[in-house]
Amino acid sequence: MKTLLAVAAIAVAAVTFGPAAAQPAAPIQMWRLDCGEIQVSNLDVFSDTFAYVGQKKTLTDSCYLIRHGENYLLWDSGLPGELAGKTAPPSGPFTMSLKARVTDQLARIGVRPEQVNFVGISHNHDDHLGQAADFPKATLLIGSEDYEATAKGPSAARLAPWIKGGTKVEKIDRDHDVFGDGSVVILDMPGHTHGHQSLLVRLPRTGPVLLTGDLYHFTENMRRHGMPSFNVDRSDTLGSFDRFDTIARNLKARVIIQHEPDDVAKLPAFPQAAN
């Protein structure tokens, strides 16, 4: 009888304190933000096999705010904020413009910069880390090699709050579960840069969403597995293509190519959120 009672007590404890009694999943929402526009006069820079000779295209530059309970992650930070309301002079085949800073967009939904707990950077190009310094209290989540390269390079000012010290940096070398419950996971996808990352967000109603970073730049580029001429490692990129596509199939995920206007339109227009 004592043994039975002990077993019963353990069972009760397991129900009370174990996984079955875990706290309800934190509410998750995701907003897409307009972080700029890029006119490309020579689309063939996105192919090392001459796939887009003579073609032009307008790309978007999108960022994302994810709310997890009371916490916020900003994924990518767009073109430099000083471009707001302006169009920059052409830089090679690229002409970039920005309508509004990320902070001004977040103000529309009542989110202040100091409320953003994490800034996740897919990679260290200026159209993705341009406004990161507007969130100096946030923990920076970035590929370790991309962080080190930026700290020594011409874009170091974009990450000044973290390079100067006093603000936390998590340098990531593999997949990273941001909130510890599998709902928001940074995926290691090297090749475009050495520390390039994509993002998996599991929304309660929409289901799994995969944000590419710059693994892909537009739909045709994804279909052909086009290799931008400026990627740092061809073999790593091909491996990341395969991994990303397999994850998308296995999870039946909604893929958002962050520079593709048609893909960005798969999510609600700001200030509405995807749930």
Side-chain angles (χ1 to χ4, degrees):
M1 178 62 72
K2 290 181 179 179
T3 300
L4 290 173
L5 288 173
V7 171
I10 292 169
V12 170
V15 170
T16 305
F17 302 108
Q23 293 296 315
I28 300 175
Q29 293 177 290
M30 181 166 71
W31 291 264
R32 65 174 171 93
L33 306 171
D34 180 356
C35 292
E37 184 178 273
I38 305 171
Q39 300 284 342
V40 185
S41 62
N42 175 20
L43 198 62
D44 205 43
V45 296
F46 293 103
S47 170
D48 64 1
T49 58
F50 310 102
Y52 310 115
V53 174
Q55 296 185 38
K56 302 178 181 180
K57 188 172 176 64
T58 299
L59 301 178
T60 191
D61 194 19
S62 60
C63 310
Y64 300 84
L65 182 73
I66 295 105
R67 180 176 77 88
H68 180 279
E70 299 302 314
N71 296 304
Y72 290 95
L73 162 69
L74 177 67
W75 177 251
D76 281 337
S77 65
L79 289 166
E82 59 266 26
L83 269 182
K86 303 174 185 176
T87 297
S91 176
F94 306 115
T95 301
M96 305 181 185
S97 60
L98 179 67
K99 292 179 181 177
R101 299 184 79 110
V102 171
T103 51
D104 292 335
Q105 294 177 68
L106 297 189
R108 293 178 58 192
I109 56 173
V111 176
R112 303 183 305 278
E114 60 269 24
Q115 291 178 269
V116 175
N117 309 88
F118 300 97
V119 171
I121 300 296
S122 63
H123 64 291
N124 64 344
H125 291 166
D126 273 3
D127 57 325
H128 292 262
L129 54 76
Q131 297 173 62
D134 287 351
F135 304 88
K137 295 185 177 181
T139 296
L140 180 69
L141 306 175
I142 188 171
S144 59
E145 291 187 73
D146 279 23
Y147 179 81
E148 297 300 337
T150 304
K152 299 172 184 176
S155 296
R158 304 296 177 196
L159 300 181
W162 300 278
I163 292 171
K164 291 178 180 178
T167 307
K168 186 177 179 182
V169 181
E170 291 191 32
K171 303 173 191 178
I172 300 170
D173 290 310
R174 54 182 60 86
D175 291 359
H176 178 74
D177 187 342
V178 178
F179 299 109
D181 61 1
S183 61
V184 181
V185 180
I186 294 174
L187 301 172
D188 183 32
M189 295 284 173
H192 183 63
T193 62
H194 291 297
H196 181 271
Q197 307 170 135
S198 301
L199 189 70
L200 168 65
V201 182
R202 298 176 188 264
L203 294 170
R205 294 183 184 176
T206 304
V209 176
L210 280 168
L211 303 176
T212 59
D214 272 10
L215 181 62
Y216 299 113
H217 289 83
F218 47 92
T219 302
E220 180 64 15
N221 185 240
M222 183 174 184
R223 287 175 183 158
R224 293 190 181 205
H225 279 183
M227 184 76 58
S229 58
F230 48 89
N231 276 22
V232 298
D233 193 300
R234 200 175 207 282
S235 60
D236 277 356
T237 304
L238 291 171
S240 293
F241 285 164
D242 181 68
R243 185 186 183 215
F244 185 95
D245 294 353
T246 302
I247 291 171
R249 285 195 305 270
N250 288 343
L251 295 182
K252 298 179 174 59
R254 182 178 305 198
V255 173
I256 306 295
I257 303 171
Q258 290 183 220
H259 281 303
E260 173 59 79
D262 290 341
D263 271 27
V264 172
K266 294 177 184 177
L267 297 173
F270 189 81
Q272 299 301 311
N275 297 295

